[in-house]
Amino acid sequence: MNNKRQNMLSQKLSNRRLLVDLLALMFGLGAWIGVNGIYVQLPLLVNEAPEGWSLPAHMVIYNKWSCDKYITYVLLAAGAMSTFILAFLYDKTTVIFGNKHSTALLSLMFVTAIVGCTSSVLFMPYMRNYREIYLVSYLVGEGLSGFVPSLVALIQGVGGNPECLNSTKPGSNVELTPYYPEPRFSSQTFFIFIGTLLFLCFLAFLGLNNLSVAIGERVKHSANMETLPTDTRAPPSYKTNSGWAMSKQVYSYLLIMMGMVCFLGNGTLPSIQSYSCLPYGNVAYHLTVTLSSMAGPLAMCLGFVIKMPEVNFLSGLMVIVIALSSFVCFLAIESPTPPLQNTWLGEFLVVLSWILISGLIGFIKLGITTLFRPDPGRGLYYTGVATQIGSLIGAIITFVLVNHAKLFHSYSPCLLVAAN
């Protein structure tokens, strides 16, 4: 039995080029690593930025501004350069209309956000030029764009929950201010690391376009809709017959589902994450940001080992996502005094909920993308459009609710201590 499994594994590996897998993975890594890298620094940035807890809502609105390989070259190079610059300017602020704003952070994030938002309609459709097996490698790389920064941020830490120190001046009322312990290394070091990874992603895309081993794995779409390898020496097993069929109802339903998961995962939930987590402590927020960012790519890795689910199964997962999203939204609305505050159970539930949401959203996106991959038309392009529309709507709605409707309220541990 073991020999049979080894033979099956050897057969799978012999029918693909692992170097092309690596290049596709690194190409996917460059899709969102700049934006995700900034997000996992939020537990450190929100305490110093003038926007405070509303900083995530400002950042999400930048993410949704929005084919050719030269454009991709420019985007990846610009993303790497902006992240390197961000390492030295992330804490610089300016006064606009009488209020302080993190101008450098938001402006440079706009550049990295362009890379992320165009990846749905530019990077992913580009992978149709290669055999279908490499799409999973790309998607895993895209998922790793959240996992890798999160892992580094987990090592970095936030130094623990804040301490309330007495900063009372003579003749004044008692005033307590929060003191946040230092992390293991600075945000500057973190952003330099992310910029280096983005530069490696640029080199990976360069390799996909120029290395002979990658060129040999490309396919061309002939008039009879059969996908054939461009390498004439390729074995017959490289041929794939499209034979793809999907009803208009299911086609539209999956696009709507993609829009909904991106409405939640890219637009709405990141904006309120600080309000739902920080009342349970800085450590809970740090664990939520880092571990939930890991859950998505880990769920996408299942694409390597299991058969992709049917539409009904994805619908069931979507129901669970909506239920969990409603729960974390409830916690955010209840800030600064949500249920089970100052208890281990409350911290556990909020962290677990965010991990499950991120993992399920990642798996649903992978499932929908995989179902559209054999489409000889523009299925992958339309999934990208659905991604951007859902994300944009979610970002705009939440930005208004956070910054203008004042539906969410910040939590300050030192105010409560002073009150007691």
Side-chain angles (χ1 to χ4, degrees):
M1 180 64 70
N2 290 333
N3 290 335
K4 184 177 180 181
R5 289 180 178 176
Q6 290 177 356
N7 291 335
M8 291 177 62
L9 178 61
S10 299
Q11 185 177 2
K12 287 183 178 181
L13 293 177
S14 64
N15 200 28
R16 65 194 305 150
R17 301 291 183 266
L18 294 182
L19 177 59
V20 182
D21 277 308
L22 178 61
L23 293 174
L25 186 146
M26 288 299 298
F27 178 45
L29 182 68
W32 286 99
I33 193 169
V35 173
N36 288 327
I38 297 173
Y39 267 109
V40 297
Q41 287 293 285
L42 280 178
L44 297 174
L45 298 178
V46 294
N47 298 320
E48 303 295 335
E51 292 83 3
W53 284 28
S54 66
L55 180 63
H58 285 80
M59 291 167 62
V60 167
I61 203 71
Y62 277 86
N63 277 353
K64 310 303 169 249
W65 286 83
S66 293
C67 254
D68 186 76
K69 67 179 181 181
Y70 298 107
I71 297 178
T72 304
Y73 280 130
V74 173
L75 288 173
L76 289 173
M81 187 176 298
S82 63
T83 308
F84 278 123
I85 297 174
L86 183 63
F88 301 95
L89 300 179
Y90 70 91
D91 57 348
K92 303 301 180 183
T93 61
T94 56
V95 177
I96 301 177
F97 300 118
N99 296 315
K100 267 191 174 184
H101 288 284
S102 306
T103 314
L105 174 64
L106 295 174
S107 300
L108 290 168
M109 185 179 178
F110 176 74
V111 179
T112 62
I114 291 177
V115 180
C117 71
T118 53
S119 67
S120 302
V121 293
L122 187 64
F123 290 18
M124 192 162 58
Y126 173 84
M127 291 307 298
R128 286 191 74 244
N129 296 316
Y130 295 86
R131 294 172 53 218
E132 183 176 346
I133 56 175
Y134 298 114
L135 178 64
V136 175
S137 301
Y138 168 85
L139 291 173
V140 170
E142 186 173 304
L144 287 175
S145 66
F147 180 88
V148 173
S150 299
L151 182 61
V152 178
L154 195 61
I155 298 171
Q156 178 188 26
V158 291
N161 289 321
E163 299 179 25
C164 295
L165 302 180
N166 191 339
S167 60
T168 307
K169 297 180 180 179
S172 304
N173 295 327
V174 176
E175 183 179 350
L176 298 176
T177 57
Y179 168 74
Y180 295 91
E182 293 294 326
R184 291 185 180 90
F185 53 86
S186 67
S187 294
Q188 182 183 77
T189 302
F190 179 87
F191 287 131
I192 290 175
F193 171 77
I194 297 300
T196 302
L197 284 182
L198 268 169
F199 178 69
L200 294 177
C201 297
F202 173 85
L203 295 180
F205 185 67
L206 192 68
L208 278 176
N209 284 289
N210 295 281
L211 292 179
S212 58
V213 64
I215 295 174
E217 297 296 289
R218 291 180 184 173
V219 296
K220 60 182 179 181
H221 308 283
S222 56
N224 63 1
M225 295 301 183
E226 183 182 29
T227 303
L228 301 173
T230 54
D231 186 355
T232 56
R233 300 167 297 173
S237 59
Y238 274 34
K239 294 186 179 182
T240 59
N241 192 324
S242 63
W244 188 82
M246 180 183 288
S247 67
K248 290 184 178 180
Q249 291 80 4
V250 174
Y251 195 99
S252 301
Y253 174 71
L254 288 176
L255 291 179
I256 293 173
M257 187 187 299
M258 178 65 87
M260 288 181 63
V261 296
C262 292
F263 172 87
L264 294 171
N266 295 349
T268 302
L269 298 181
S271 299
I272 65 167
Q273 192 173 53
S274 57
Y275 293 94
S276 70
C277 300
L278 268 174
Y280 295 95
N282 216 36
V283 173
Y285 184 30
H286 175 63
L287 291 175
T288 296
V289 172
T290 53
L291 296 180
S292 62
S293 295
M294 292 179 180
L298 288 176
M300 288 183 174
C301 287
L302 294 176
F304 278 123
V305 295
I306 67 172
K307 181 181 179 181
M308 280 298 101
E310 300 294 331
V311 176
N312 290 338
F313 184 74
L314 293 177
S315 300
L317 295 182
M318 189 67 207
V319 172
I320 299 175
V321 168
I322 293 175
L324 290 172
S325 300
S326 300
F327 173 67
V328 297
C329 286
F330 167 74
L331 295 181
I333 292 174
E334 291 297 305
S335 176
T337 55
L340 301 176
Q341 191 178 27
N342 300 319
T343 66
W344 70 268
L345 181 59
E347 294 181 27
F348 174 77
L349 288 177
V350 70
V351 174
L352 179 63
S353 298
W354 279 99
I355 291 174
L356 291 175
I357 289 172
S358 181
L360 291 174
I361 286 178
F363 188 79
I364 291 172
K365 290 168 68 175
L366 173 65
I368 295 174
T369 303
T370 305
L371 290 173
F372 275 110
R373 171 58 183 83
D375 180 11
R378 306 185 72 188
L380 289 179
Y381 171 79
Y382 290 128
T383 59
V385 171
T387 296
Q388 294 309 309
I389 292 177
S391 302
L392 176 63
I393 294 174
I396 292 175
I397 291 177
T398 316
F399 182 83
V400 173
L401 292 177
V402 170
N403 295 283
H404 298 285
K406 303 299 181 182
L407 188 63
F408 306 98
H409 304 284
S410 303
Y411 159 81
S412 175
C414 295
L415 288 179
L416 293 181
V417 171
N420 292 334

